[in-house]
Amino acid sequence: MEARKNGFYEPLTDELAELREKSEEERVPIILKETESFLKTFLGITKPERILEIGCAVGYSAMFFAGLTGAEVYTVEKDHEMFLTAQKNIEKYGYSNLVTVLEGDGQEAAALLHKQGTQPFDFVFIDAAKSHYKRFLEGCLPLCKKNTVILSDNVLFQARVADDRYDPDGKYKTNIKKMREFLDLIHQDPRFDSSVIAVGDGLALTRLTENGVKNFNEKNRTARSRGRFGKT
């Protein structure tokens, strides 16, 4: 089934196809082909003008976003070597006029952008350390506005988040717990309208239903304590 779905995949450009092949050979984590195909359709419909990405890796998805939409893209990468590689790739493939790469922690970089008075983003893509998604979301909210779409990648963690049987040794127990907390939050907090989509390794599609980040901690504390996702 996976091979059949990917059989419909078409790269955005020959240059990005080359970078995908190189990244996959070197086992660099970039968006899956199935996820990219979904994004190509989704962003073609929503047409965002400003995009924030948490988790840049080699810059593949940031260039894909910019090339597809013509949007202004800010992307954040914590790993120094990845950051340097992303900068090099973005310059090499001619996306420097649209893509800005920031080095650092996702939440801290978002806070800095907010402090600098950066205009709100239409679309946020979270694809970084899985146990920190909730923290990244909190950091991004001040940079969002009503109807900003936040898409979080790899939320099913190869089905482990849905069912503990897929982590029989408890090796990923902490990551699973953190991801379930994140999914519970985006479904329970009244500011969010969310759905989990079985695309790639799971996408959480979230629409911000009200502006800003007012009373985030208070609302988080009063959300229902019982989790919905998976067996705990």
Side-chain angles (χ1 to χ4, degrees):
M1 184 62 180
E2 191 72 21
R4 182 172 179 79
K5 285 188 292 185
N6 286 334
F8 296 108
Y9 169 78
E10 292 185 7
L12 188 65
T13 67
D14 290 341
E15 291 80 10
L16 287 179
E18 176 186 284
L19 181 57
R20 170 176 285 282
E21 183 177 355
K22 183 175 186 294
S23 298
E24 290 176 348
E25 287 176 355
E26 296 177 356
R27 297 188 177 183
V28 175
I30 62 172
I31 53 174
L32 298 174
K33 289 180 178 178
E34 184 183 353
T35 302
E36 182 179 329
S37 295
F38 170 82
L39 283 164
K40 188 175 183 180
T41 301
F42 180 77
L43 296 179
I45 295 170
T46 57
K47 295 179 170 54
E49 296 180 357
R50 289 177 54 77
I51 296 174
L52 174 63
E53 177 184 46
I54 306 298
C56 177
V58 295
Y60 180 90
S61 49
M63 290 187 284
F64 168 76
F65 294 147
L68 177 67
T69 66
E72 184 179 10
V73 180
Y74 285 75
T75 182
V76 183
E77 178 54 50
K78 185 175 183 179
D79 183 88
H80 181 63
E81 292 303 319
M82 285 284 193
F83 166 74
L84 294 177
T85 300
Q87 280 192 319
K88 181 179 178 181
N89 286 334
I90 288 164
E91 183 175 350
K92 174 183 176 181
Y93 293 116
Y95 288 91
S96 298
N97 61 321
L98 290 175
V99 180
T100 300
V101 190
L102 304 174
E103 183 178 11
D105 172 78
Q107 184 180 31
E108 294 173 1
L112 179 60
L113 287 173
H114 180 59
K115 184 178 181 180
Q116 292 173 343
T118 302
Q119 292 298 307
F121 292 93
D122 309 299
F123 178 72
V124 176
F125 187 64
I126 301 177
D127 186 17
K130 307 313 170 204
S131 62
H132 295 279
Y133 272 28
K134 186 176 176 182
R135 187 170 65 82
F136 294 147
L137 175 66
E138 293 172 357
C140 291
L141 286 178
L143 295 169
C144 297
K145 58 186 177 180
K146 185 176 180 180
N147 292 324
T148 291
V149 173
I150 303 166
L151 191 68
S152 307
D153 198 10
N154 302 313
V155 299
L156 294 181
F157 199 20
Q158 299 179 0
R160 297 184 184 100
V161 172
D163 196 318
D164 288 335
R165 289 179 297 177
Y166 292 97
D167 184 36
D169 300 324
K171 181 179 178 180
Y172 302 101
K173 184 177 181 179
T174 299
N175 284 348
I176 292 169
K177 179 178 181 290
K178 294 288 187 182
M179 185 60 78
R180 286 173 178 168
E181 290 174 355
F182 168 76
L183 293 174
D184 287 337
L185 172 65
I186 63 174
H187 283 82
Q188 295 169 2
D189 192 303
R191 292 168 308 149
F192 305 127
D193 181 14
S194 300
S195 294
V196 173
I197 306 170
V199 171
D201 195 20
L203 294 172
L205 180 63
T206 300
R207 180 179 66 88
L208 190 61
T209 59
E210 63 181 70
N211 286 313
V213 71
K214 295 179 181 179
N215 301 320
F216 179 86
N217 291 327
E218 180 180 347
K219 290 185 178 183
N220 187 20
R221 286 194 298 268
T222 57
R224 292 195 305 271
S225 60
R226 185 176 180 180
R228 294 182 182 180
F229 283 86
K231 298 178 181 179
T232 57

